[in-house]
Structures are given as structure tokens and as C-alpha cells.
Amino acid sequence: MSVRPITIVGHRALTQRTRRVREITDDIRALVADMFETNDAADGAGLAAPQVGARWRLFVYSCADAEDVVRRGVVINPRLERFGGIELDEETLEGCLSVPGEGFPTARHRGARVSGIDLSGQEVTVEDTGGVLARALQHEVDHLDGTLYLDRLTPARRREALDAVTARGWRAEGLRTWDPRDVEAADV
């Protein structure tokens, strides 16, 4: 297992749709192990394959649900269902490991359910009705469809977010990834 560099806004991998996993191979298992280690190193709620430069339709998560229970797992070839009303709480900031150090209010459905398979090829369903996990499920599936949470912001907030990312130096020429083990980068 190893920590992989995380792609940042502007990286091509973040704007492309992913490919379905047809077979769970040793390479897929190694990718998932690396993604868990990378997510843990970055203190993330979740991490999608494009965020480590892979085009597979899978993500890992490790965050609290509505009952404040930390849930951890992987979903391969997820299918997302959203339910409950759409909420935009100005006090709840959504962040992203591919937009380091920034967080903005983002409208999301209150609840989400994702169905797919796990590393054993078994059907898995993950559901939450209002915790961080519900937001993370929607956020990670967005990544698999080539969408960043910045794309869901109002135009003014999106401009504010891009300006903040630029001011932090994350959009510098040639910079496309960051290493979550880098203490200075992680302190953003």
C-alpha cells in the first residue's frame, strides 16, 4: 500500500467520466488499498478513483453518518439515489481533497443511497439520511461523472472558490497533484 498524489482542480482526470470495473483484479485491489491509505493521510471523508488519476468507477469513504457513527468502505460501480429535500446550509461547508483547503456551502439532497459491489464482488448498499456520509456519497459519485463540487456552486461562489484556489497557488502552471503526506500542503 502507498499514498498516492491527489489530483487538483484543473487536472484532466477530474473532468472525465469513469469506466465500469468489469473484473476485480489484483490491480483494482491495490488501487483500493492505496486509496484508503491516501484518504486517511489526507484526513478525507472520501476519495474517488479520478482523484488519484485512475479512471475506474469506484470510491472509498470513511466518515460519520446521521447517527454520528463512522462508516468505512468501498463501492465499485455505484448507482446513486438521492432523496429528501435539497438543502443549502450557509454554515455547512463542503470541501474536496482536489480543491485543497477550501470549503463552500453546496446544495445537496438530505439523503443518499448508493448501490454497487465491494471488493469481494458482493452487492453492497450504503445509505444515509442527513449526515456527512449522505453528502460524501453524492460528492464521490459526482467525481465519477466528471463533476467537481465547484460545478454545483452559484457562479459567484464558484468564482470565489477559484480565486481562493489560485491565491493558494494550487492553479500554478504545471501543478496538477499534491501529496497528502506533505505537512505544509496538508495545513492549507
Side-chain angles (χ1 to χ4, degrees):
M1 292 188 310
S2 62
V3 173
R4 295 187 182 203
I6 298 174
T7 58
I8 55 176
V9 62
H11 193 292
R12 190 175 138 187
L14 297 174
T15 61
Q16 299 176 330
R17 291 185 59 83
T18 53
R19 299 182 306 234
R20 288 184 54 77
V21 174
R22 303 266 181 229
E23 179 182 359
I24 299 170
T25 63
D26 288 342
D27 287 343
I28 294 293
R29 286 184 189 89
L31 170 63
V32 169
D34 288 354
M35 287 174 63
F36 274 119
E37 191 162 331
T38 303
N39 190 58
D40 290 345
D43 197 26
L47 186 69
Q51 292 181 276
V52 293
R55 296 228 14 237
W56 295 113
R57 192 162 185 82
L58 63 91
F59 69 87
V60 300
Y61 60 93
S62 181
C63 59
D65 63 15
E67 282 76 44
D68 211 26
V69 174
V70 174
R71 309 228 339 246
R72 184 176 172 91
V74 59
V75 182
I76 300 169
N77 299 329
R79 295 172 308 279
L80 173 67
E81 298 172 63
R82 298 173 182 95
F83 53 87
I86 295 175
E87 297 180 340
L88 177 61
D89 176 359
E90 291 293 323
E91 302 301 313
T92 302
L93 304 181
E94 184 166 327
C96 179
L97 296 177
S98 291
V99 186
E102 299 303 324
F104 290 89
T106 307
R108 295 282 184 188
H109 285 265
R110 180 162 177 74
R113 178 182 308 112
V114 172
S115 301
I117 60 173
D118 63 15
L119 280 177
S120 301
Q122 300 299 310
E123 284 290 322
V124 62
T125 299
V126 183
E127 181 176 329
D128 189 30
T129 58
V132 174
L133 180 58
R135 182 172 293 277
L137 295 173
Q138 295 170 76
H139 180 108
E140 300 310 330
V141 171
D142 272 356
H143 275 301
L144 303 179
D145 294 334
T147 301
L148 281 174
Y149 89 101
L150 300 180
D151 300 324
R152 295 198 175 277
L153 300 177
T154 64
R157 283 274 165 87
R158 180 171 164 62
R159 180 75 263 148
E160 182 183 346
L162 291 174
D163 288 348
V165 169
T166 300
R168 287 183 184 268
W170 291 113
R171 296 183 79 196
E173 185 70 32
L175 183 62
R176 295 292 176 252
T177 63
W178 71 282
D179 185 337
R181 295 170 296 191
D182 180 348
V183 175
E184 288 181 24
D187 267 350
V188 295

